[in-house]
Amino acid sequence: MRQVAWSAYDDASESFFQTYESLRFSTTHRSFLRFLPAPGARCLDVGAGSGRDASALAARGYQVTAVEPSRGLRALAMAKHRQVNIRWIDDALPNLDKVKTLGGAYDFVLLSAVWMHIEPKERLPSLQTLKQLLVPHGSIALTLRIGDAPPNRPMYPINVDEFIAQATSVGLKAVYQSRKSVDSLKREKVRWIKLVLQSQTEPPRLATVEPSNGAPLASRTE
């Protein structure tokens, strides 16, 4: 993940910080709540931004490692979210080398509004890294941005079917896929799809999708 991908966040840290803090974890990630592990588990927040999600996870009793490569955002997040069970790391995909040096694996991994910043050539290595850092029964939750990129922030298109195929190739299975949803910040041309991945070597805890009528399906993803 090139430094230019987060330089815009350094340039306007305060603005992005305020925007992200205006949203609530329990609302933005409502569909992920059922996949959270038992309190005391280890969580990894990749691209932690303002620290909103890391703080919410810490408040639920998890041991949280928050990864944020933007120096400006990370400083603001650390100043506001001071829970002792959050460890802040300056690191980035595809390798997360600093996270790996901490040792151990994680029960829940969150990537909120991150994947569009990963260059296509780095996406498969990134998935391999995430699989390596996941405990066998753990979950990886992602929000995938569908829409045009703003001119000041490098983003790359996301093909959901291609993403799922790459995840499958490294031993991860999509056990939850949402329908396309509107943007929480009311940007007209931005939509989001939420996905949860689990190891293919373990029986999935949940295998559901939310089709347009809201009825769950257990046998496919839309």
Side-chain angles (χ1 to χ4, degrees):
M1 188 173 175
R2 295 181 301 165
Q3 185 171 353
V4 68
W6 63 85
S7 60
Y9 296 97
D10 281 329
D11 295 339
S13 298
E14 187 64 41
S15 176
F16 284 114
F17 179 83
Q18 296 299 334
T19 297
Y20 299 154
E21 288 293 300
S22 70
L23 303 175
R24 297 186 60 184
F25 172 88
S26 58
T27 301
T28 303
H29 300 312
R30 184 186 304 113
S31 56
F32 294 154
L33 298 180
R34 73 189 82 170
F35 294 96
L36 291 176
R42 301 180 75 209
C43 295
L44 177 64
D45 186 4
V46 180
S50 71
R52 176 200 67 207
D53 298 340
S55 179
L57 291 169
R60 285 167 167 75
Y62 302 117
Q63 300 298 316
V64 182
T65 298
V67 176
E68 177 50 54
S70 166
R71 181 178 180 180
L73 270 178
R74 192 173 65 253
L76 292 168
M78 293 174 67
K80 177 166 184 177
H81 303 294
R82 298 175 175 269
Q83 292 102 314
V84 295
N85 51 333
I86 302 178
R87 184 201 303 256
W88 285 93
I89 303 289
D90 175 11
D91 207 353
L93 288 167
N95 298 322
L96 293 178
D97 289 324
K98 295 179 183 177
V99 174
K100 290 176 182 176
T101 64
L102 301 176
Y106 295 86
D107 300 272
F108 183 79
V109 180
L110 177 64
L111 293 91
S112 180
V114 169
W115 203 252
M116 69 277 194
H117 293 306
I118 308 296
E119 292 184 72
K121 67 181 181 180
E122 294 185 341
R123 286 176 172 173
L124 185 59
S126 293
L127 284 166
Q128 291 169 333
T129 292
L130 295 171
K131 174 65 160 57
Q132 179 183 345
L133 291 169
L134 188 70
V135 300
H137 58 276
S139 298
I140 302 171
L142 308 95
T143 64
L144 305 182
R145 175 177 167 139
I146 310 298
D148 297 336
N152 62 331
R153 285 186 287 163
M155 296 182 186
Y156 305 92
I158 297 173
N159 181 296
V160 177
D161 290 337
E162 182 181 81
F163 173 85
I164 291 174
Q166 285 188 323
T168 300
S169 74
V170 303
L172 294 168
K173 180 178 181 180
V175 297
Y176 170 82
Q177 179 181 337
S178 75
R179 60 191 178 192
K180 196 178 293 184
S181 63
V182 298
D183 181 55
S184 298
L185 298 175
K186 304 186 186 306
R187 292 168 292 195
E188 292 185 1
K189 295 184 179 181
V190 177
R191 295 292 183 269
W192 297 90
I193 290 177
K194 298 178 181 180
L195 281 170
V196 175
L197 307 175
Q198 292 176 355
S199 172
Q200 293 191 91
T201 61
E202 292 288 317
R205 289 179 290 167
L206 290 167
T208 61
V209 65
E210 294 176 359
S212 57
N213 62 6
L217 296 175
S219 60
R220 68 171 179 87
T221 56
E222 65 179 7

